[in-house]
Amino acid sequence: MTATTGVGRGAGPVRQASLREHNLGLVLRQVANALAPISRAAVAAATGLTRATVSSLVEELIAGRLLLETEPSPRSGAGRPAVGLALAPDGVAGLGLEVNVDYLAACVVDLTGAVRHSAVLPGDRRGRPPGETLRALADLAADAVATSTAPIAGATLAVPGLVRPDGLVRTAPNLGWRGVDVRADLCIRGLDLAPAGLAVDNEANLAALGELHAGAASSFLYVSGEVGIGAGIVLDGRLFRGARGFSGEIGHVAVRPDGPPCRCGAHGCLEQYAGQEAILRAAGLVPGRPGEAAGRLAVAAERGNPAVLAALAEAGRALGVVLAGVVNVIDVPTVVLGGLYVPLATWLSPAVRSEVDTRVLTADWESVEVVPARLGVRAAAVGAAGSVVRAVRDDPARWLARG
Amino acid sequence: MTATTGVGRGAGPVRQASLREHNLGLVLRQVANALAPISRAAVAAATGLTRATVSSLVEELIAGRLLLETEPSPRSGAGRPAVGLALAPDGVAGLGLEVNVDYLAACVVDLTGAVRHSAVLPGDRRGRPPGETLRALADLAADAVATSTAPIAGATLAVPGLVRPDGLVRTAPNLGWRGVDVRADLCIRGLDLAPAGLAVDNEANLAALGELHAGAASSFLYVSGEVGIGAGIVLDGRLFRGARGFSGEIGHVAVRPDGPPCRCGAHGCLEQYAGQEAILRAAGLVPGRPGEAAGRLAVAAERGNPAVLAALAEAGRALGVVLAGVVNVIDVPTVVLGGLYVPLATWLSPAVRSEVDTRVLTADWESVEVVPARLGVRAAAVGAAGSVVRAVRDDPARWLARG
DNA sequence: GGCGATTTGTTAAGCGGTTGAATTATTTGC
DNA sequence: GCAAATAATTCAACCGCTTAACAAATCGCC
């Protein structure tokens, strides 16, 4: 009986040092989440730590250039005025990279969450050798690094495909990649990736983090519609990766078990109803370059083209059926439509909402919101960069202890 | 920018006391997960704590009657013989309760995971007033408590319906319950529920924990087929409850969006293909008492009744389509078929497996297993009781510090 | 049988980190 | 100008882990 492998839960032992690491993060996040500069005393009150401890922790964070003291805020009541604390804009930054079907992107996000640099290099990357694409990306990345006044804590790369937890790209069908070890193949001038290393993740996952970063709710399902359809699941401010790291593959959830065949080998997958090519086909438009399909569809829909409107309604319905299923299973309060679906949200959302409302069991008392994404194409790159600074925020001690 | 509410992550501050609480749990779980009695030195080596610290922690756990010293194990090599440590069978126990359509159940599980007492009271509970049912359950529970030599740390109740995180039963359609506040209405003779309180949870969730307890993998999807169909999701040894606590409602995931109408108001829900009544209908059998349908189906299938075999194959296919979708979304390596599906697994599994294998995107390199549940009807009650002792195991300090 | 090697478990000193109280600093209000 | 109020720092005390030394119990080898 009872044979869970390993110890489960909070794994390791806890020494006093871990205690400080935890509290360091607690204080840093408290400052980060405050809307305005906040005093040590307020941090102490909010965290439950004593002011003495908070002072000591803050001192360390300031020395590590993660926090700054600001001018006292507008006075209120008697007493010594509080010294404000805020995140240091030049303390650390994260580098976010993205390889996609028709562009490469790089951006730098600082600790405060501000996007400090952002560059996109258009170009069709389908079927090109990974090495060539990665070299071009490395150049773009090196430029981004060169512009940063803050030290770069690490980099994260977004790829439209299945990525193993260790960073190996299992397959990125639309790029034509299979088994690419990005971590070994990418080296960026002016940036030593050894310490934090390069993280690689699915484009939908990182775009979801980008939305979180941009102020979306703390729990939501992000749907990334492109040639394929992926999803990133954010629960309670954290990315949910499933048991083995390949969560969110909603593009191959069945809409109709005996529907049209899909390139995955199954029948009636969502991609065959709401993928970019399926929508174009249903609308009677010719497939073109991957980047501009959404625009063409939006223009035609705006003009009232009936075939396009019908195609979008049908796609929305299929999307709604699948999303309702997902919500029934993981019970998220919000669905964010991203990628291709952002410019088409006006026409897709009604059908999606209607399906979700009738099919989600708990919809009667726990409403489910369907909203378009706030970020555009850059969502994944911003999310990737944001995930780096988020990692520093979650465990500042590791960053402070760097060689 | 960046406006996650609250602090997220590891919530509270960490004082030295929390440190000890954590390590107390670490040591206890290490002993629990060992297959045989284990020495202090081995615990130290496995956890990374020093032997001195482990000794101190063990002393506290022995004083609290959670651990026992056993005879030294068969010798091996030189050196002073080790004193074995094992979970104390009489240190604490958990009470598990279940209200279901056609029976009530109560059981007691001790810290080692052994079921010390188990009682089932058959009887149709559909449409009966909740108060009456709860009184009958309280009697059953009081008997269970009376038999226990170990102090009862708390109780958990399994209900076939939607349960709010605070324990309010939102709705249990097959019982005819709506908005029942079990925690207020249930009081058990001889057991003070005040300290740990009474937890209430969905039957599928707790049955999933029961399977975990019975040694299933540490990540799996448990499917509970009864009149309705629910699922419990276990990831990395932990129950996954979704963002708002209502996860796993797979009974109303669509198999065919324009299929037969479902009592939930939508069309083509899984319940209409693989629910108890749907299978009986498709098999041409009359609905009977809820408890015996599975048996009748299994007997008829055994005899080779073609209508029944076809009905089961069809149900298996529908189940497979939906489960494949769920696996695509949360990427679990194992699906456990429970409840009604256990006796029917022989006929359901092939269709389920075939659908899962063709529809799960990652199935080519990360196989998905489909297995029948190990526990029978009692899974939920055992899981409920197990969840109580599991809570003690995860945070022994709280139990040791009881008034 | 005795002695060293080996492993377990305990004890005592030390150190890191938080607490709590006292102290200093800086403002408002009367 | 002084009391009240609030912010931040200093310092002794305490708590829990670690290190290192030691005591206990067994094996193996001569």
Side-chain angles (χ1 to χ4, degrees):
Chain A
M1 51 211 60
T2 321
T4 332
T5 31
V7 173
R9 269 138 296 282
V14 177
R15 4 187 125 319
Q16 289 95 321
S18 350
L19 199 156
R20 189 155 186 93
E21 285 165 23
H22 177 104
N23 287 340
L24 228 29
L26 191 66
V27 168
L28 185 60
R29 287 195 299 275
Q30 198 61 240
V31 174
N33 293 331
L35 302 168
I38 182 178
S39 68
R40 291 165 171 79
V43 171
T47 57
L49 296 164
T50 57
R51 285 174 305 174
T53 306
V54 170
S55 277
S56 151
L57 292 164
V58 164
E59 186 181 27
E60 193 169 342
L61 291 169
I62 290 177
R65 297 179 47 79
L66 296 179
L67 286 185
L68 278 183
E69 290 192 331
T70 68
E71 282 309 290
S73 57
R75 302 283 317 116
S76 62
R80 171 173 166 178
V83 178
L85 296 172
L87 295 175
D90 284 321
V92 252
L95 174 63
L97 304 172
E98 181 178 6
V99 173
N100 218 317
V101 177
D102 58 332
Y103 64 92
L104 303 177
C107 76
V108 175
V109 168
D110 70 21
L111 192 58
T112 70
V115 178
R116 302 287 285 265
H117 174 90
S118 175
V120 176
L121 180 68
D124 195 337
R125 294 284 159 192
R126 287 179 291 182
R128 301 279 276 282
E132 180 195 317
T133 298
L134 289 176
R135 270 190 299 278
L137 183 68
D139 287 341
L140 202 65
D143 291 348
V145 170
T147 67
S148 177
T149 52
I152 302 282
T156 299
L157 169 64
V159 176
L162 293 172
V163 182
R164 243 180 18 190
D166 68 0
L168 182 92
V169 179
R170 206 50 116 155
T171 166
N174 298 320
L175 288 173
W177 287 17
R178 273 192 89 81
V180 177
D181 185 2
V182 180
R183 292 166 100 161
D185 297 352
L186 185 71
C187 64
I188 302 169
R189 252 180 302 119
L191 178 62
D192 178 19
L193 283 175
L198 171 72
V200 187
D201 208 335
N202 177 273
E203 176 260 338
N205 280 344
L206 292 172
L209 282 184
E211 284 298 313
L212 177 68
H213 190 89
S218 67
S219 295
F220 59 91
L221 175 73
Y222 175 88
V223 183
S224 163
E226 301 290 346
V227 177
I229 304 172
I233 301 167
V234 174
L235 295 175
D236 218 16
R238 267 202 241 254
L239 199 54
F240 169 80
R241 295 170 185 280
R244 294 179 298 192
F246 299 109
S247 69
E249 287 303 326
I250 65 168
H252 300 279
V253 172
V255 176
R256 282 180 238 277
D258 31 34
C262 178
R263 65 197 162 102
C264 76
H267 284 256
C269 298
L270 176 61
E271 202 166 301
Q272 297 305 313
Y273 295 88
Q276 177 174 296
E277 272 141 39
I279 299 179
L280 286 173
R281 200 185 319 123
L285 300 182
V286 293
R289 290 204 324 284
E292 42 75 88
R296 264 158 68 213
L297 284 165
V299 168
E302 198 89 61
R303 289 193 188 136
N305 180 324
V308 170
L309 291 175
L312 289 176
E314 184 54 32
R317 217 147 32 227
L319 207 46
V321 168
V322 169
L323 295 180
V326 176
V327 173
N328 270 322
V329 173
I330 62 172
D331 188 36
V332 283
T334 307
V335 172
V336 179
L337 298 178
L340 179 68
Y341 300 141
V342 176
L344 303 175
T346 317
W347 301 281
L348 290 168
S349 297
V352 173
R353 266 198 209 98
S354 142
E355 290 295 335
V356 166
D357 283 342
T358 62
R359 310 195 96 99
V360 171
L361 197 65
T362 60
D364 290 343
W365 57 84
E366 306 262 12
S367 73
V368 178
E369 273 194 283
V370 177
V371 299
R374 303 185 182 198
L375 265 46
V377 197
R378 292 184 340 196
V382 171
S387 77
V388 173
V389 288
R390 183 169 292 266
V392 173
R393 215 184 262 187
D394 284 350
D395 187 5
R398 183 187 301 185
W399 167 248
L400 295 177
R402 72 192 183 277
Chain B
M1 59 212 51
T2 323
T4 334
T5 33
V7 172
R9 268 138 296 283
V14 177
R15 5 187 128 302
Q16 291 94 325
S18 350
L19 202 153
R20 190 155 184 92
E21 286 164 22
H22 177 102
N23 287 339
L24 229 28
L26 192 65
V27 169
L28 184 59
R29 287 194 298 275
Q30 198 61 241
V31 174
N33 292 332
L35 301 169
I38 182 177
S39 69
R40 289 164 171 81
V43 171
T47 56
L49 295 165
T50 54
R51 285 174 306 170
T53 307
V54 170
S55 277
S56 150
L57 292 164
V58 163
E59 185 181 27
E60 194 170 341
L61 291 169
I62 289 176
R65 298 179 48 79
L66 296 180
L67 286 186
L68 278 184
E69 289 193 333
T70 68
E71 281 310 289
S73 57
R75 302 284 317 117
S76 63
R80 171 174 166 176
V83 178
L85 296 171
L87 296 176
D90 284 321
V92 252
L95 175 64
L97 303 172
E98 183 179 5
V99 172
N100 218 317
V101 178
D102 58 331
Y103 65 91
L104 303 177
C107 76
V108 174
V109 168
D110 70 22
L111 191 59
T112 70
V115 178
R116 301 287 285 266
H117 174 91
S118 175
V120 176
L121 180 67
D124 195 337
R125 294 285 160 191
R126 288 179 291 184
R128 303 277 277 281
E132 179 194 318
T133 298
L134 289 177
R135 269 189 300 278
L137 183 69
D139 287 342
L140 203 65
D143 291 347
V145 170
T147 68
S148 176
T149 52
I152 302 282
T156 299
L157 170 64
V159 177
L162 294 171
V163 182
R164 244 181 16 193
D166 68 358
L168 183 93
V169 178
R170 204 54 114 154
T171 164
N174 298 321
L175 288 173
W177 287 17
R178 273 193 90 79
V180 177
D181 185 1
V182 179
R183 292 166 101 162
D185 296 353
L186 186 70
C187 65
I188 301 169
R189 253 180 300 119
L191 179 62
D192 179 18
L193 284 175
L198 172 73
V200 187
D201 208 334
N202 177 273
E203 175 261 339
N205 280 346
L206 292 172
L209 283 184
E211 284 297 313
L212 177 68
H213 191 88
S218 68
S219 295
F220 60 91
L221 175 73
Y222 175 87
V223 183
S224 163
E226 302 288 347
V227 176
I229 305 172
I233 302 167
V234 174
L235 295 174
D236 218 16
R238 266 202 242 255
L239 200 54
F240 169 79
R241 295 169 185 282
R244 295 180 297 193
F246 298 110
S247 69
E249 287 302 328
I250 65 167
H252 301 278
V253 171
V255 176
R256 282 180 236 278
D258 32 34
C262 179
R263 66 198 162 101
C264 75
H267 285 256
C269 299
L270 176 61
E271 201 167 301
Q272 297 305 312
Y273 296 88
Q276 177 173 297
E277 272 142 38
I279 299 180
L280 286 174
R281 201 185 319 122
L285 301 182
V286 293
R289 290 203 325 283
E292 43 76 88
R296 263 158 68 213
L297 285 165
V299 168
E302 199 90 59
R303 288 191 189 138
N305 180 325
V308 170
L309 291 175
L312 290 175
E314 184 56 30
R317 213 142 39 222
L319 206 46
V321 168
V322 169
L323 295 180
V326 176
V327 173
N328 270 322
V329 172
I330 61 172
D331 188 36
V332 282
T334 307
V335 173
V336 178
L337 298 179
L340 180 67
Y341 300 141
V342 177
L344 303 176
T346 318
W347 302 280
L348 291 168
S349 298
V352 173
R353 267 198 209 98
S354 141
E355 290 295 334
V356 166
D357 284 342
T358 61
R359 310 196 96 99
V360 171
L361 198 64
T362 59
D364 290 343
W365 57 84
E366 305 263 12
S367 73
V368 178
E369 273 194 284
V370 177
V371 298
R374 303 186 182 198
L375 265 46
V377 197
R378 292 182 340 193
V382 171
S387 77
V388 173
V389 288
R390 184 170 291 268
V392 173
R393 218 184 260 188
D394 285 350
D395 186 5
R398 185 187 300 185
W399 166 248
L400 295 177
R402 71 192 185 277

